[in-house]
Amino acid sequence: MRTLVAIPVYNEQETLRSVVEHVRRYADHVLLVDDGSTDDTPLEIETVRRRLGLDVIRHEGNLGYGRSLRDAFARAADRGFDWVVTMDCDEQHEPDALPEFFERIARDDADIISGSRYLDHSVESDGTAPASRREINRLVTDELNERLGLRLTDGFCGFKAHRVETLRRLNLTEDGYAFPMQLWVQLRAIRARIIELPVRLIYNDPNRTFGGDLDDATNRLRHYRTTMHEEICRSADTLPERAARGLLVRCCGRA
Ligand SMILES: Nc1nc2c(ncn2[C@@H]2O[C@H](COP(=O)(O)OP(=O)(O)O)[C@@H](O)[C@H]2O)c(=O)[nH]1
Ligand SMILES: [Mg+2]
């Protein structure tokens, strides 16, 4: 299985070099998607790029977390990889957990292997999630499970392995932080095999922001739910009947 590790990056000058060097110990193929960083991230990337044989996509402007992942998926497909593992660059995802993802990939019985910070409480956490983040994660994950018949314990963990063949069957268009909402609905619509893997809950910067309206928890929850409901409308025919009950949006006469 040829596997690419893809890291979306936005203004991570502090952590980039140590994260990438640590990841490179486990992965032969590493892609950085620099999402229009305005700090010294581009310089940091140049210092390690050749030495570590990194592949780099640079967005001239800040196009968003979702867009960064979509570009990584397209690159993985273009370069003939079988799997693409996404992880963040802010030290909230441990490179030491990569071998567990690779081992799970090798079993070849899943299409998505999603990290979960809330699956196995024996995995000691480092810091606690800010209350609003934990609450929104719980509410939205419960709603995804209720509507789609999934059994997720963490709907927002960006530490995930994706089978490229499965990604090819999706039509992902989300650019921002609501990207996971579209992904889960489309994966359910194609009956993808989804499993979760326990990963450490790490919150090293409680003041980290989403930027703009999303910093308001009520706005953020509404944005995630609206994106989920709009996606359910688009895929209503291939989803469980209960998926489209009581949506925040009208499905143009579909549901
Ligand atoms: N904040 C932010 N991070 C982005 C963006 N594009 C890519 N990223 C990267 O996406 C990853 C997740 O972002 P982060 O803000 O930590 O999300 P959170 O941990 O889910 O709150 C990090 O590696 C960021 O550097 C963006 O537009 N904004
Ligand atoms: Mg983070």
Side-chain angles (χ1 to χ4, degrees), residues 85 96 138 165-166 175 177 201 229:
V85 177
D96 290 337
R138 192 182 60 71
E165 227 17 73
T166 301
D175 283 346
Y177 274 110
L201 168 74
H229 296 183

Side-chain angles (χ1 to χ4, degrees), residues 12 88-93 117 133 177 202-205 208:
E12 306 284 7
D88 294 350
C89 198
D90 57 1
E91 295 183 332
Q92 286 194 279
H93 297 154
R117 297 157 290 182
R133 284 184 180 241
Y177 274 110
I202 301 172
Y203 266 94
N204 39 27
D205 177 1
R208 188 146 176 133

Side-chain angles (χ1 to χ4, degrees), residues 65-88:
Y65 171 73
R67 174 58 186 276
S68 302
L69 291 194
R70 290 195 294 119
D71 289 352
F73 293 170
R75 179 63 60 95
D78 290 351
R79 299 279 162 89
F81 286 98
D82 303 298
W83 283 79
V84 52
V85 177
T86 58
M87 60 186 299
D88 294 350

Side-chain angles (χ1 to χ4, degrees), residues 3-231:
T3 299
L4 175 70
V5 175
I7 308 175
V9 182
Y10 181 63
N11 293 347
E12 306 284 7
Q13 64 185 14
E14 309 298 331
T15 55
L16 184 129
R17 205 182 302 197
S18 63
V19 168
V20 174
E21 280 171 349
H22 199 169
V23 168
R24 206 49 191 80
R25 282 194 236 143
Y26 297 107
D28 296 333
H29 306 285
V30 179
L31 166 71
L32 300 180
V33 182
D34 179 2
D35 190 24
S37 297
T38 54
D39 65 356
D40 284 347
T41 292
L43 272 181
E44 288 294 310
I45 292 176
E46 278 322 302
T47 61
V48 290
R49 180 186 198 147
R50 250 180 291 288
R51 178 163 60 79
L52 298 178
L54 306 176
D55 186 9
V56 177
I57 293 173
R58 160 100 180 147
H59 291 160
E60 283 321 311
N62 180 228
L63 304 180
Y65 171 73
R67 174 58 186 276
S68 302
L69 291 194
R70 290 195 294 119
D71 289 352
F73 293 170
R75 179 63 60 95
D78 290 351
R79 299 279 162 89
F81 286 98
D82 303 298
W83 283 79
V84 52
V85 177
T86 58
M87 60 186 299
D88 294 350
C89 198
D90 57 1
E91 295 183 332
Q92 286 194 279
H93 297 154
E94 297 179 300
D96 290 337
L98 283 169
E100 285 164 62
F101 280 91
F102 298 157
E103 188 273 326
R104 207 62 188 75
I105 287 172
R107 288 198 217 165
D108 206 18
D109 60 357
D111 301 311
I112 297 288
I113 300 159
S114 185
S116 171
R117 297 157 290 182
Y118 305 112
L119 179 63
D120 177 345
H121 296 290
S122 65
V123 176
E124 181 219 329
S125 62
D126 178 352
T128 51
S132 67
R133 284 184 180 241
R134 180 75 191 90
E135 182 58 7
I136 288 177
N137 190 319
R138 192 182 60 71
L139 286 170
V140 172
T141 301
D142 287 353
E143 184 174 353
L144 286 166
N145 290 339
E146 175 44 40
R147 288 186 182 281
L148 305 176
L150 297 173
R151 278 172 295 139
L152 301 173
T153 57
D154 186 346
F156 287 94
C157 184
F159 203 173
K160 263 196 192 69
H162 316 73
R163 184 188 294 274
V164 173
E165 227 17 73
T166 301
L167 294 175
R168 283 181 197 281
R169 299 170 57 199
L170 307 181
N171 173 27
L172 301 166
T173 58
E174 263 306 303
D175 283 346
Y177 274 110
F179 176 81
M181 300 301 102
Q182 185 176 52
L183 182 68
W184 290 125
V185 172
Q186 292 194 11
L187 287 170
R188 180 64 182 83
I190 66 165
R191 308 283 184 278
R193 298 167 297 171
I194 299 165
I195 63 131
E196 289 186 315
L197 203 64
V199 295
R200 191 190 300 280
L201 168 74
I202 301 172
Y203 266 94
N204 39 27
D205 177 1
N207 310 315
R208 188 146 176 133
T209 62
F210 289 88
D213 287 358
L214 294 185
D215 287 330
D216 171 82
T218 312
N219 282 344
R220 196 159 73 245
L221 178 58
R222 187 182 316 111
H223 175 58
Y224 291 149
R225 297 189 70 211
T226 305
T227 305
M228 180 203 310
H229 296 183
E230 284 168 353
E231 197 57 40

